[in-house]
Amino acid sequence: MNLIFQIKSCIYIALLGGSFTAAAQQFVLIPPGSYPVGMSGSVENPPRRVITKGFRIATTELTNAAFEKFITATGYITEAERFKNGLVFEPGLEEFRWITDSTAYWRYPNGSSRGGIENKMDHPVTGISFTDALAYCKWAGVRLPTLDEWEIAARAGSSTKYFKGVTDATISRYANIWQGPDHLQADSTDGFMYTAPVAHFKPNPLGLYDVLGNVFEFCSGTLPRDKGRKVAHARGGSWWCSKNACNFFNTVDIGSVNPHASFSNLGFRVVKEPGGADQMQ
């Protein structure tokens, strides 16, 4: 099964310091109110104001450690395990080309031959599908952010595609992205070729980490371009995104993906309703 990440009517087979674990999942409150989203020139995400009743959003992407708790408690088998269709990348592939690896799933997000997550439990979980993310949320009593909620939190009051402090020149301080000129050569310029531990890079002004890099994040909601199709959406940026090949690591663009497909650069963060604890065990 192919996984297609679509942004701005182009199709990209791309998706596409600290130690945070499931036991320390923290949330920040986004108060009720009216917030600006979208940007001039964006067909799918035009400028407008949206009203929210308020929500709490996780400061980090969900980690391998947190997802392992879910698997241990439920015995859930992810779609990549069942369909053997994990999409992975390795340096040397042409731009926007990924390969299907029947051994790839969340424990081996880049395929078993490229190593597992034994020493990456504080990295974001990947190799999971939108359906898998929903299953986790149901078990944990949380949900995915809506497209608008994600953007409100990620922008942190900014009117630009980046939050305050981020420019094209400084984004590498805030986001785990691909620094090299292409994907033919391995790139670990920032210390990581694939995912990084969550919260390793600088947060946005609200204290949210990795909204512009590390992994794309599933959100709930639909777009006019869906035209009734069952499509999942993701936002943000990923370790694979480069300035030369996939520069959509921002708070404006919205990607689309098959809800049953699993990529090694696609994960999620969760949301809770207002009230309750600021941490989730």
Side-chain angles (χ1 to χ4, degrees), residues 119-227:
N119 299 316
K120 298 181 179 180
M121 299 309 289
D122 57 351
H123 288 223
V125 63
T126 60
I128 47 95
S129 68
F130 181 74
T131 302
D132 298 329
L134 293 180
Y136 172 87
C137 289
K138 183 178 181 179
W139 170 78
V142 294
R143 62 177 174 83
L144 295 176
T146 67
L147 293 168
D148 288 341
E149 287 174 340
W150 185 95
E151 184 169 331
I152 291 169
R155 291 174 70 155
S158 171
S159 61
T160 72
K161 64 179 182 179
Y162 297 141
F163 53 80
K164 185 178 180 180
V166 178
T167 66
D168 289 340
T170 65
I171 193 169
S172 59
R173 304 174 192 170
Y174 297 85
N176 175 21
I177 57 177
W178 193 270
Q179 306 291 326
D182 56 51
H183 290 84
L184 300 178
Q185 301 294 325
D187 173 53
S188 300
T189 305
D190 58 7
F192 307 96
M193 190 174 74
Y194 295 117
T195 58
V198 297
H200 178 85
F201 292 82
K202 297 179 67 173
N204 77 358
L206 294 179
L208 271 63
Y209 296 87
D210 300 318
V211 294
L212 300 176
N214 221 7
V215 297
F216 284 112
E217 301 175 8
F218 285 124
C219 294
S220 64
T222 59
L223 295 173
R225 73 182 184 219
D226 297 343
K227 298 180 179 178

Side-chain angles (χ1 to χ4, degrees), residues 2-60:
N2 292 328
L3 188 161
I4 299 176
F5 195 80
Q6 183 175 27
I7 303 174
K8 283 185 173 178
S9 48
C10 297
I11 295 183
Y12 295 93
I13 301 179
L15 263 212
L16 40 17
S19 179
F20 284 64
T21 67
Q25 180 72 78
Q26 298 179 336
F27 292 78
V28 296
L29 173 65
I30 306 299
S34 174
Y35 295 86
V37 297
M39 185 159 292
S40 178
S42 174
V43 175
E44 295 290 349
N45 193 12
R48 64 199 186 281
R49 296 192 72 87
V50 297
I51 296 175
T52 176
K53 297 179 180 178
F55 56 95
R56 291 180 184 271
I57 187 166
T59 57
T60 70

